[in-house]
């Protein structure tokens, strides 16, 4: 957040002596002045959502530039950039001090976001609208690739990576073109999905977290036993491949199972892909050794399966278990699944809506 704001201020600080009012910002309907104020307004709004733990709506406040007796218009462009710097610092502080598990209201698409989501949305606002103002004022602007990648891998999980993160982000938000891809005319970002069971929070994994988990990282979680299980890392690797091929759908991906009483991850559960043409979707799961025997897998499987069957067109949730894996067989049967076949050492189970 701080890097994005500093980059914005450095770029736009070279044109503060120009008149931003009445100069259209790129492809937006706003002028450059309105767009700069919008950046600051969004950053302070996101900070307010996190700090206020907003649950059902935006905190009802906004910023107003203070130009004294001469009114907001008396604040120069350099003053607007100072407000952006301040608002960015407040959002950065809110992100740092908000506990990992806290989620606050944001309308799209699941009506909430965590601190990483708000950071990614804030960085996106800064990068994209700095681009708009730069385009309007006729200067060049390209932020560090890592910032654009941060945004893409957190809140644009459905966007297939392109030649560079910045060009991809511009294309994904209707601001540029990419060879072989149709122009984007409508777009929204996606914060990760979250479901709740009796004791667990099922947190959807972003492409960034999947990439970390697929190697030796923790994916942003503290794990019971110190590390994710091998099956979780394998599943995360499959997610990374789906993302790189433009086939990733966050709600039909992997969910980390987090124990709410201590905010520690106990395992992962997820779908092998989107439902097929017959409305069938396959589910798999993995628990760390230290979390087994407490009913977590059964609880999560009931929750995720019930959610899946509530989605349009989904009729069957399937699970395939090794014939030698008796504990996992007990998990699926306790969750309500019925055995439908046995072959080549595996048992197939289904739960129908």
């Amino acid at each position: 957040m701080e890097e994005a704001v500093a980059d914005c201020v450095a770029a736009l600080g070279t044109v503060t002596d120009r008149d931003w009012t009445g100069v259209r910002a790129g492809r937006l309907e706003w002028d450059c002045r309105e767009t700069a104020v919008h950046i600051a307004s969004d950053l302070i709004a996101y900070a307010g959502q996190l700090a206020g733990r907003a649950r059902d709506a935006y905190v009802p406040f906004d910023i107003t530039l203070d130009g004294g007796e001469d009114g907001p218009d008396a604040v120069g462009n350099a003053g607007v950039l100072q407000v952006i710097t301040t608002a960015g610092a407040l959002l950065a502080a809110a992100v740092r001090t908000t506990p990992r598990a806290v989620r606050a209201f944001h309308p799209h698409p699941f009506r909430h976001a965590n601190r990483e989501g708000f950071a990614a949305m804030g960085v996106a606002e800064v990068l994209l609208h700095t681009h708009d103002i730069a385009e309007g004022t006729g200067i060049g602007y390209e932020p560090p690739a890592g910032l654009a990648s941060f945004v893409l891998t957190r809140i644009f999980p459905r966007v297939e990576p392109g030649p560079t993160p910045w060009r991809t982000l511009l294309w994904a938000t209707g601001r540029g073109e990419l060879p072989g891809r149709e122009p984007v005319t409508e777009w929204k970002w996606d914060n990760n999905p979250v479901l709740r069971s009796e004791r667990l929070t099922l947190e959807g994994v972003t492409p960034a977290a999947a990439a970390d988990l697929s190697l030796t990282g923790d994916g942003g979680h503290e794990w019971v036993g110190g590390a994710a299980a091998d099956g979780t890392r394998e599943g995360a690797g499959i997610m990374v491949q789906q993302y790189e091929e433009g086939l990733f759908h966050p709600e039909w991906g992997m969910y980390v199972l987090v124990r709410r009483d201590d905010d520690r991850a106990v395992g992962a559960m997820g779908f092998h892909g989107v439902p097929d043409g017959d409305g069938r979707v396959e589910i798999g799961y993995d628990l760390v050794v230290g979390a087994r025997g407490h009913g977590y897998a059964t609880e999560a499987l009931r929750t995720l399966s019930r959610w899946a069957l509530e989605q349009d067109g989904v009729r069957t949730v399937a699970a395939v278990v090794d014939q030698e894996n008796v504990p996992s067989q007990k998990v699926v049967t306790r969750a309500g699944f019925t055995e439908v076949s046995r072959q080549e050492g595996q048992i197939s189970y289904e739960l129908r809506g």
Side-chain angles (χ1 to χ4, degrees):
M1 188 70 258
E2 291 165 337
E3 182 183 3
V5 168
D7 194 61
C8 159
V9 172
L12 299 184
T14 63
V15 289
T16 53
D17 58 335
R18 302 184 190 178
D19 185 2
W20 291 3
T21 303
V23 178
R24 185 172 176 177
R27 304 182 187 187
L28 303 182
E29 295 299 324
W30 301 326
D31 65 24
C32 292
R33 169 83 171 197
E34 291 173 304
T35 304
V37 174
H38 173 79
I39 294 173
S41 181
D42 273 351
L43 297 182
I44 196 68
Y46 292 160
Q49 293 302 97
L50 284 175
R53 308 291 194 263
R55 298 180 62 86
D56 303 311
Y58 281 113
V59 177
F61 78 102
D62 201 351
I63 61 171
T64 300
L65 300 181
D66 186 2
E69 295 180 356
D70 296 324
D73 292 342
V75 178
N77 295 333
V80 176
L81 293 184
Q82 184 180 20
V83 176
I84 291 175
T85 299
T86 302
L90 291 172
L91 178 53
V95 169
R96 284 195 181 97
T97 56
T98 298
R100 193 208 65 80
V102 168
R103 302 186 76 84
F105 173 81
H106 186 274
H108 185 78
F110 305 110
R111 297 184 64 80
H112 50 68
N114 62 8
R115 63 188 184 186
E116 189 171 41
F118 277 105
M121 291 186 288
V123 172
E125 296 284 357
V126 172
L127 301 190
L128 295 171
H129 290 318
T130 301
H131 164 81
D132 297 332
I133 298 170
E135 199 170 59
T137 55
I139 61 172
Y141 172 70
E142 181 170 344
L147 291 175
S149 179
F150 175 80
V151 172
L152 288 168
T153 57
R154 269 74 175 182
I155 57 175
F156 285 91
R158 303 175 193 271
V159 174
E160 179 183 356
T164 68
W166 180 230
R167 286 184 62 193
T168 304
L169 182 58
L170 290 177
W171 170 82
T173 57
R175 290 171 167 85
E177 299 179 354
L178 285 183
R181 301 195 195 184
E182 292 295 321
V184 173
T185 56
E186 294 183 2
W187 61 273
K188 290 182 179 179
W189 51 50
D190 287 276
N191 282 290
N192 62 322
V194 172
L195 301 172
R196 290 169 65 91
S197 64
E198 292 86 351
R199 297 171 294 170
L200 304 173
T201 300
L202 285 64
E203 300 185 9
V205 174
T206 65
D212 190 43
L213 280 170
S214 69
L215 301 174
T216 59
D218 59 16
H221 298 275
E222 181 182 353
W223 292 82
V224 170
D230 290 342
T232 296
R233 298 201 186 281
E234 182 179 350
I238 294 173
M239 281 185 58
V240 172
Q241 183 177 355
Q242 291 174 338
Y243 171 67
E244 291 175 345
E245 296 174 354
L247 301 175
F248 181 72
H249 297 268
E251 64 272 35
W252 298 107
M254 176 188 289
Y255 294 75
V256 172
L257 313 180
V258 181
R259 201 163 55 191
R260 280 200 298 277
D261 63 359
D262 61 1
D263 196 38
R264 300 178 74 191
V266 299
M269 182 173 293
F271 302 101
H272 293 187
V274 299
D276 64 19
D278 296 323
R280 181 180 184 275
V281 64
E282 186 174 339
I283 199 169
Y285 50 87
D286 195 15
L287 287 183
V288 298
V289 174
R292 295 173 185 172
H294 299 281
Y296 295 135
T298 301
E299 179 181 322
L301 185 57
R302 286 173 179 157
T303 299
L304 197 54
S305 299
R306 183 170 59 248
W307 174 86
L309 290 171
E310 291 172 351
Q311 308 311 302
D312 290 342
V314 178
R315 292 189 288 272
T316 305
V317 179
V320 178
V321 181
D322 288 339
Q323 198 162 336
E324 298 179 354
N325 192 345
V326 176
S328 189
Q329 295 168 31
K330 292 180 179 179
V331 167
V332 293
T333 55
R334 284 196 297 264
F337 284 66
T338 301
E339 180 181 333
V340 293
S341 67
R342 294 189 180 215
Q343 56 182 345
E344 299 180 354
Q346 292 186 318
I347 309 174
S348 295
Y349 295 86
E350 289 184 348
L351 180 66
R352 294 180 178 272

